[in-house]
Amino acid sequence: NNQIYKELWSGNMGRRIQHFLFTLLFIYILASIPLIFKISNGHIEINISNVLNQSIILFSNILKGDISILETQMNTKIIEPAGFTFILLVSSMFISLVFSLLFGLFLQKVIFVKWLINSMKLLAKIPDFVIILVAMLAAVNFYKFSGYRIITINNSGSAINLWFPILILSITPTVYMIKNIDSRYHQIASEDYIKTAISKGLSVNYINLHHVYKNIKPYLLTDLSKALSLSLVSLFIIEYLLNVSGLTKHIFMSDYSLELGIVNFSVLILIAILCYLILRLILFFFEKGFIHE
């Protein structure tokens, strides 16, 4: 029996169970952090007892089969903010994917693109929060100069127009992906089969689509998941600073609780997974339309 259990645990089913348990633990830890660390009078205070008390109440209710408190948090505080976060994440990652493929792969021979890629490599060395703050200062100065308001806040204190947060959120993943695609483009372009295709008189677009892209794609998918992780980190800063009523703003509210955090981070992970699947679907239709004639 022990041998059977070991084989099951080390097999595909066992690994899936391990990943699921690790994800639950990861969500619980993330949800607990805002309760452990509190800022009071300019000092950071650590309060573990608050987390323990809320954990005991939450898990005792779950063991009794009572998940009404989680359902209440979902219905009253999660659904609408989740919509804003979903729009921000999917839109920014779509922009990142399109621009990284255009400038990192298909427009490599254009002179201004080479200058743009070199600029992106410099931006990649700057921390994310610095880029976000500079962009916000630029928006404020633009309003002072032109009178056109890029960031608009309504009476409830939330951002009305989402295009500016989407644009700012797309910067970090775009810089990351363009830099990596450009690096792999030059690596693949030096291969013998690319030189053979050029000697046969094939067009640059055909070579990029049917040879370079196909070899870059495995790296692109890996970079896509990493870029999505970078966007999730930036999402916390952008939703807070630009007053977007998304999921991450709950972390900074006074009524934050453990059950709210667990539901909040669970939905955020589901949104990230859905976003990745949508991007994969976009690539699938792109390949069907332009590569597999």
Side-chain angles (χ1 to χ4, degrees):
N1 289 336
N2 291 335
Q3 183 65 27
I4 294 174
Y5 289 138
K6 287 181 181 178
E7 290 178 359
L8 287 174
W9 187 252
S10 60
N12 290 332
M13 182 63 71
R15 282 192 290 270
R16 289 175 183 175
I17 294 173
Q18 291 174 38
H19 290 160
F20 177 72
L21 293 175
F22 175 78
T23 302
L24 291 179
L25 178 61
F26 180 67
I27 291 172
Y28 172 75
I29 293 173
L30 285 177
S32 301
I33 290 175
L35 292 172
I36 295 175
F37 299 98
K38 290 288 185 180
I39 299 177
S40 178
N41 298 323
H43 300 284
I44 298 177
E45 297 179 355
I46 299 177
N47 186 3
I48 299 178
S49 61
N50 188 23
V51 177
L52 294 176
N53 293 333
Q54 291 195 33
S55 298
I56 292 171
I57 296 172
L58 176 62
F59 291 130
S60 62
N61 288 334
I62 292 175
L63 290 174
K64 295 175 184 177
D66 181 13
I67 58 171
S68 58
I69 190 168
L70 296 177
E71 293 175 349
T72 301
Q73 296 291 1
M74 174 67 75
N75 295 329
T76 59
K77 297 182 179 180
I78 297 297
I79 293 178
E80 185 176 351
F84 286 112
T85 297
F86 176 78
I87 293 172
L88 252 67
L89 200 59
V90 173
S91 302
S92 62
M93 286 302 300
F94 174 74
I95 292 172
S96 174
L97 179 62
V98 171
F99 276 80
S100 59
L101 284 176
L102 279 177
F103 298 132
L105 178 58
F106 297 114
L107 298 178
Q108 276 279 347
K109 301 300 180 181
V110 181
I111 295 176
F112 88 90
V113 171
K114 295 179 179 179
W115 175 85
L116 179 65
I117 290 173
N118 290 329
S119 301
M120 291 290 184
K121 290 178 180 179
L122 291 175
L123 277 176
K125 299 178 181 179
I126 303 175
D128 301 347
F129 71 92
V130 175
I131 296 176
I132 294 169
L133 290 176
V134 169
M136 290 181 62
L137 289 174
V140 173
N141 289 326
F142 180 78
Y143 170 68
K144 291 180 179 178
F145 176 75
S146 65
Y148 181 75
R149 185 176 300 168
I150 296 176
I151 308 172
T152 305
I153 308 296
N154 63 17
N155 294 331
S156 63
S158 59
I160 294 176
N161 53 347
L162 291 178
W163 71 266
F164 185 70
I166 289 171
L167 182 64
I168 300 302
L169 186 59
S170 67
I171 293 176
T172 300
T174 302
V175 169
Y176 173 79
M177 291 184 65
I178 287 180
K179 180 175 69 73
N180 287 352
I181 291 176
D182 174 71
S183 174
R184 294 190 176 106
Y185 174 87
H186 288 94
Q187 181 182 352
I188 293 173
S190 62
E191 297 290 341
D192 292 336
Y193 61 88
I194 299 296
K195 295 177 181 178
T196 302
I198 294 174
S199 66
K200 289 182 178 180
L202 298 177
S203 67
V204 174
N205 288 335
Y206 184 90
I207 293 172
N208 284 338
L209 278 171
H210 293 269
H211 296 286
V212 180
Y213 172 79
K214 286 183 179 180
N215 287 279
I216 281 180
K217 184 184 174 182
Y219 303 103
L220 173 65
L221 296 179
T222 303
D223 291 338
L224 204 58
S225 59
K226 293 180 180 177
L228 186 56
S229 301
L230 293 173
S231 291
L232 286 173
V233 175
S234 300
L235 190 68
F236 285 82
I237 304 172
I238 290 171
E239 287 193 348
Y240 179 73
L241 293 180
L242 296 182
N243 241 351
V244 178
S245 298
L247 287 173
T248 63
K249 281 198 69 176
H250 288 138
I251 299 170
F252 306 101
M253 292 182 176
S254 58
D255 61 345
Y256 180 84
S257 60
L258 182 62
E259 59 272 6
L260 175 60
I262 289 175
V263 175
N264 194 83
F265 284 109
S266 299
V267 173
L268 187 59
I269 290 175
L270 289 175
I271 288 175
I273 294 172
L274 182 58
C275 177
Y276 180 77
L277 294 176
I278 290 173
L279 295 174
R280 289 292 302 267
L281 187 63
I282 291 171
L283 287 175
F284 172 78
F285 285 118
F286 166 74
E287 292 166 10
K288 285 294 182 183
F290 293 95
I291 298 178
H292 304 290
E293 296 92 346

